[in-house]
Amino acid sequence: MVLRMRLRPRLLTAVLVPLAVLTAGCGSSSTTATTATTATPATTATTGSPSTTGSASGTITVLAAASLTESFTALGKQFEAAHPGSKVTLSFGASSTLVTQILQGAPADVFASADTANMKKLTDASQAAGDPKAFATNRLEIIVQKGNPKNITGVADLAKPGVTVVTCGPDVPIGKYSAQVFAKAGVTVTPKSYEADVKAVVQKVVLGEADAGIVYATDVQAAGDKATGVVIPDAQNVIATYPIAVTKTAPNAALATAFVAYVSGADGLATLAKFGFTAP
């Protein structure tokens, strides 16, 4: 789903700027670039509680899981509108890669992970300013080529001969979750490749380079009519929990704290719901 807003004529249009190309630790020959986005204020800000609005200004850099690309791009615009004079730069990639960058000294004000394990790496290294806050959950879904030409109806079909499946390695949240789904379904799936992050899995299927993969339900929604989703039963599914935290070395801790409050507040949760996320 794409969030459409009329931009103020006086304000700058959002500009995509390249960041560093990320190399995921999931052993794939395929890599995806981390995307940096400068969010642009929308014409009308969502009505926020006093805790989500204020005088904090300046620039923050938010490193967020790839599955948050569409929703955080929208949230960044809304946050800027609620905080005149602020700018949110967004960088997306595998949670495992992003937290490694932070621990190696990459500048970041906020980290939003697609799992609690990679956030724990941040807290265990005493690099989080306070306790992380769970702000969203997500379910898994099978993504197949448009029209489902291989007639995949469930997880067991992913183990059939002739079905090409891609996923990520166990360090990447979606790779770990996929392995849990396969175990619950009692099937052995041999992936054709291990991709850098969940968006790379989506791209492989959309381009016809793979028949299927396991992604988040929000990624299937974001793919629109370019792919088809197959529901995974509750007994085989996994609920992904998304935590967010201000980093200990945040250059703009005040604005970062305000951003975290906005994302986890009523307005943030409402926007996340529009993109298919559920409340924590």
Side-chain angles (χ1 to χ4, degrees):
M1 179 180 297
V2 178
L3 184 63
R4 301 182 182 273
M5 293 185 178
R6 186 185 309 166
L7 303 182
R8 288 182 182 172
R10 297 177 301 169
L11 301 180
L12 294 178
T13 304
V15 179
L16 295 178
V17 294
L19 196 65
V21 174
L22 296 179
T23 303
C26 55
S28 169
S29 60
S30 171
T31 59
T32 57
T34 299
T35 304
T37 303
T38 301
T40 302
T43 298
T44 303
T46 53
T47 302
S49 63
S51 63
T52 61
T53 59
S55 59
S57 61
T59 301
I60 55 171
T61 298
V62 178
L63 271 57
S67 53
L68 294 167
T69 299
E70 295 81 13
S71 58
F72 264 45
T73 298
L75 284 169
K77 295 175 182 178
Q78 295 172 359
F79 178 79
E80 287 186 346
H83 294 76
S86 67
K87 184 172 69 173
V88 180
T89 297
L90 300 164
S91 182
F92 303 102
S95 300
S96 53
T97 301
L98 298 178
V99 73
T100 297
Q101 289 183 328
I102 295 172
L103 296 179
Q104 291 177 347
D109 297 273
V110 176
F111 174 49
S113 177
D115 67 350
T116 57
N118 281 293
M119 181 60 78
K120 189 173 185 296
K121 294 178 184 178
L122 193 74
T123 58
D124 284 351
S126 300
Q127 291 302 307
D131 295 330
K133 183 176 182 62
F135 67 94
T137 55
N138 212 342
R139 295 175 63 83
L140 271 60
E141 195 166 327
I142 301 171
I143 188 169
V144 299
Q145 294 178 23
K146 182 178 180 179
N148 196 5
K150 289 296 181 75
N151 194 31
I152 294 170
T153 60
V155 178
D157 290 337
L158 301 182
K160 290 182 177 179
V163 176
T164 301
V165 178
V166 293
T167 184
C168 292
D171 289 339
V172 180
I174 194 63
K176 176 185 64 178
Y177 295 144
S178 297
Q180 291 174 3
V181 168
F182 297 149
K184 287 185 175 184
V187 299
T188 300
V189 177
T190 303
K192 176 184 178 181
S193 63
Y194 292 99
E195 302 303 314
D197 58 39
V198 70
K199 291 301 186 185
V201 174
V202 173
Q203 185 180 38
K204 285 279 189 177
V205 174
V206 168
L207 293 178
E209 298 176 13
D211 298 315
I214 291 182
V215 299
Y216 302 104
T218 54
D219 292 303
V220 175
Q221 179 175 315
D225 62 2
K226 296 179 181 179
T228 299
V230 177
V231 174
I232 298 175
D234 289 345
Q236 299 173 358
N237 216 320
V238 173
I239 303 298
T241 298
Y242 288 65
I244 189 170
V246 177
T247 66
K248 186 176 181 180
T249 56
N252 192 341
L255 191 63
T257 300
F259 182 80
V260 170
Y262 188 89
V263 169
S264 58
D267 295 328
L269 295 178
T271 295
L272 288 162
K274 292 179 182 178
F275 287 90
F277 291 90
T278 48

